[in-house]
Amino acid sequence: MTQLGRCGQDGASTTAIAQGAGIPQGYLFRLLPSKRTLFLAAVERAFRATEAAPRSSADGSGALEDAECQEIARRGFVRLWRTVAELTRRRRRRSGRGGGVPTALRPHGQTLRSAP
């Protein structure tokens, strides 16, 4: 995850990823069939960890009910979502696939726009 976080999917070295995990590079591809699959697994793991953090801190201290704490978390997730959306748009432009919400996901006859 560190290598993918520093270098991104395209720049990350599978050799460095395998070394960081303490396994041979060949075994890495026995576990996951492609670098893309590895990247998506890392993203999924990061989101699960992000979701688990507030749940594990819900120890009855009342921190999660604190309005200021909730607002800080909300702003952080908005920044994260905007970053993901912007990176997705850039990648689609580079690949020539366009941007926006896929037609299949749009309500009939509606045009969806990104959040402000």
Side-chain angles (χ1 to χ4, degrees):
M1 288 183 69
T2 302
Q3 180 74 351
L4 288 166
R6 286 184 184 149
C7 305
Q9 176 185 338
D10 296 332
S13 158
T14 54
T15 302
I17 292 169
Q19 286 174 347
I23 59 174
Q25 185 178 12
Y27 186 61
L28 179 67
F29 288 109
R30 290 190 77 194
L31 295 172
L32 298 157
S34 69
K35 193 176 187 182
R36 173 129 176 99
T37 305
L38 174 63
F39 176 75
L40 294 174
V43 169
E44 178 67 29
R45 182 175 178 195
F47 274 103
R48 278 196 314 264
T50 301
E51 178 187 15
R55 291 182 191 280
S56 67
S57 68
D59 58 3
S61 65
L64 296 179
E65 287 81 30
D66 181 283
E68 186 177 12
C69 179
Q70 290 174 358
E71 180 59 21
I72 289 169
R74 187 196 65 76
R75 286 193 313 256
F77 281 109
V78 167
R79 282 193 314 270
L80 175 63
W81 181 255
R82 286 181 179 160
T83 300
V84 168
E86 177 58 30
L87 293 173
T88 302
R89 279 192 296 272
R90 279 191 225 157
R91 186 169 180 89
R92 285 187 178 158
R93 281 194 296 259
R94 281 195 314 248
S95 69
R97 287 186 271 160
V101 177
T103 305
L105 299 178
R106 295 179 188 167
H108 295 290
Q110 292 185 6
T111 302
L112 299 179
R113 298 180 186 183
S114 298

